[in-house]
Amino acid sequence: MSGHLILNAVVEHLMNTTKLRRSSLVVFAGASAGGIGVFHHADWISSKLHSLGIAPRTVVLPIAGLFFPERWPVLWEEFRMGVEVPVDGFMASWCHLLEGSFLHEGCVANATAAKRPVRECQDVSKILPLLKAEVFIFQNQFDQYQANHLGLCPPDLCNASTDVASRAGQYLQLFGRRSKETLQATIQTRPRLGVLAPSWFDHTNQLEREIAGDGQGVSGWSFAELFAAWLDGQQIHLLADACAGGPCPQAAHRSNSLVV
Ligand SMILES: *[C@@H]1O[C@H](CO)[C@@H](O)[C@H](O)[C@H]1NC(C)=O
Ligand SMILES: *[C@@H]1O[C@H](CO)[C@@H](O)[C@H](O)[C@H]1NC(C)=O
Ligand SMILES: CC(=O)N[C@H]1CO[C@H](CO)[C@@H](O)[C@@H]1O
């Protein structure tokens, strides 16, 4: 599921029970699976609010939701044997078969017009060029969950301290390049899209710490500064450098508390 029916009910519930009706700015955010749902509903959310009679500025913040970068996932077991062919089509079909979920309507319309199967729209990289909303993407280039659980490189081989020269290190390097290329291609055609892409081996933990104001910052900038500048209309495309081609170290956790 992508949360479509729940989201629909929650938005109506919030309209009925909170000050949402009087909001001038709505930030629509979600992390991990929630980030996927946020991508798919990026354009739906404003039309939903319009249908309920309000038109606040609505911005969309998917966190660690880039499932998948273009030409990803490549499976570790294949990569170690020299095969770099992605299984993205299979993964998208599989998710769509199991879940039959709500997909980004612009992508569905485009695929239908081109007589391509709509299941490809399950893959977020297929909807990036078709997003109309104001979207700020917060995404690690070396997403830990995708490396360990979709690419199936086990954590004792693929982790934050993997030697980049090892075979597993080369796998992570390929992943980082594909993440970065996907985001770069997107901002070339959609410069208004904000991108903050640290090069950590992390899924959501460090990103949530940054949002909570309890992180180390990205290239000297805090999430709050970058997001505020983007809201003000500045172009924010921060794709951090990799460290020798691989993930960069994260600062030791300062605290376990998450205040959002
Ligand atoms: C919100 O209020 C409207 C109007 O009273 C009602 O029809 C609708 O069922 C309510 N929705 C929710 C989710 O509470
Ligand atoms: C991380 O991966 C390396 C091999 O790439 C391994 O030697 C090391 O033990 C792993 N660390 C952990 C904590 O699993
Ligand atoms: C981003 C994307 O998929 N765009 C496609 C939309 O449909 C037209 C017509 O079929 C294609 O040419 C685009 O590539």
Side-chain angles (χ1 to χ4, degrees):
M1 64 150 190
S2 68
H4 181 68
L5 299 176
I6 295 172
L7 191 58
N8 197 47
V10 165
V11 170
E12 288 178 12
H13 176 73
L14 292 175
M15 284 290 277
N16 286 0
T17 58
T18 71
K19 293 179 183 161
L20 179 59
R21 183 171 292 285
R22 276 170 282 152
S23 303
S24 52
L25 172 67
V26 170
V27 180
F28 178 50
S32 191
I36 305 176
V38 161
F39 268 120
H40 283 286
H41 290 86
D43 294 318
W44 174 90
I45 187 72
S46 359
S47 51
K48 177 67 188 176
L49 295 174
H50 284 189
S51 78
L52 296 172
I54 61 167
R57 180 178 180 196
T58 303
V59 301
V60 180
L61 175 62
I63 302 154
L66 183 61
F67 287 80
F68 320 108
E70 274 163 39
R71 294 179 295 131
W72 191 263
V74 168
L75 298 175
W76 157 248
E77 286 295 342
E78 295 196 341
F79 178 86
R80 73 192 306 180
M81 294 186 295
V83 178
E84 291 187 11
V85 179
V87 295
D88 50 349
F90 163 73
M91 288 270 182
S93 305
W94 180 67
C95 292
H96 191 61
L97 173 75
L98 289 183
E99 307 189 348
S101 55
F102 177 89
L103 301 172
H104 181 264
E105 20 350 13
C107 183
V108 168
N110 197 308
T112 306
K115 297 193 167 30
R116 288 196 312 270
V118 298
R119 62 174 181 266
E120 72 175 29
C121 295
Q122 189 84 42
D123 184 339
V124 166
S125 68
K126 299 290 192 295
I127 72 177
L128 290 177
L130 295 161
L131 291 172
K132 294 198 184 77
E134 288 189 83
V135 182
F136 187 96
I137 299 177
F138 194 16
Q139 176 76 34
N140 278 302
Q141 294 170 42
F142 300 89
D143 183 282
Q144 169 271 333
Y145 187 92
Q146 294 201 33
N148 292 151
H149 302 298
L150 293 177
L152 302 176
C153 183
D156 59 351
L157 287 174
C158 285
N159 58 56
S161 44
T162 298
D163 174 3
V164 289
S166 68
R167 193 71 186 136
Q170 290 164 357
Y171 178 73
L172 291 182
Q173 290 194 49
L174 175 70
F175 181 26
R177 283 200 304 277
R178 292 203 170 164
S179 299
K180 195 167 196 169
E181 284 161 11
T182 301
L183 295 170
Q184 277 167 337
T186 305
I187 54 188
Q188 245 159 33
T189 55
R190 301 275 333 276
R192 181 52 201 140
L193 205 125
V195 173
L196 175 55
S199 41
W200 299 315
F201 186 81
D202 168 59
H203 183 41
T204 56
N205 290 351
Q206 186 66 33
L207 302 189
E208 287 175 353
R209 227 169 265 129
E210 299 299 328
I211 290 174
D214 189 28
Q216 63 186 84
V218 185
S219 309
W221 297 91
S222 72
F223 170 82
E225 288 170 302
L226 295 169
F227 189 64
W230 176 78
L231 278 178
D232 274 351
Q234 288 186 45
Q235 191 167 290
I236 301 293
H237 299 153
L238 203 172
L239 288 87
D241 288 335
C243 290
C248 296
Q250 294 161 55
H253 302 169
R254 276 194 290 172
S255 126
N256 289 323
S257 63
L258 174 60
V259 186
V260 187

